[in-house]
Amino acid sequence: PIVVLAFTGLALDLPPLDQLVFPFLDGMWTEADVATAIAGALAAGRLMPTDSGGPAEEGEETLEAGELARRSIRRLVDRCYVLG
């Protein structure tokens, strides 16, 4: 599980993918759980398969749910203190 206790310098305006992933950083969920939630959001059309979860920019690659989960978790965790 991933536990996030405090963020440093994180803007409140998160891209769509990180908005979806952020609530999963409470220590109750695994990366696989996050990927499953992302896959559901992709299937429902609430996210795009891009690094931000928003519309693709010209030439931007599309990614699968597991890679999107890894990237978002890494991006969010890099901006916080992790204890435990």
Side-chain angles (χ1 to χ4, degrees), residues 47-80:
L47 283 180
M48 297 285 134
T50 64
D51 195 40
S52 72
E57 295 182 17
E58 187 175 330
E60 185 176 10
E61 66 179 326
T62 58
L63 304 164
E64 49 187 53
E67 180 61 21
L68 290 170
R70 279 186 289 283
R71 288 181 183 206
S72 179
I73 291 167
R74 185 177 324 120
R75 185 170 40 247
L76 290 166
V77 169
D78 282 349
R79 304 286 307 268
C80 67

Side-chain angles (χ1 to χ4, degrees), residues 6-30:
F7 277 84
T8 58
L10 183 68
L12 296 176
D13 187 21
L14 296 172
L17 177 61
D18 293 350
Q19 288 177 25
L20 176 75
V21 172
F22 181 78
F24 288 92
L25 302 182
D26 65 359
M28 304 280 299
W29 310 95
T30 66

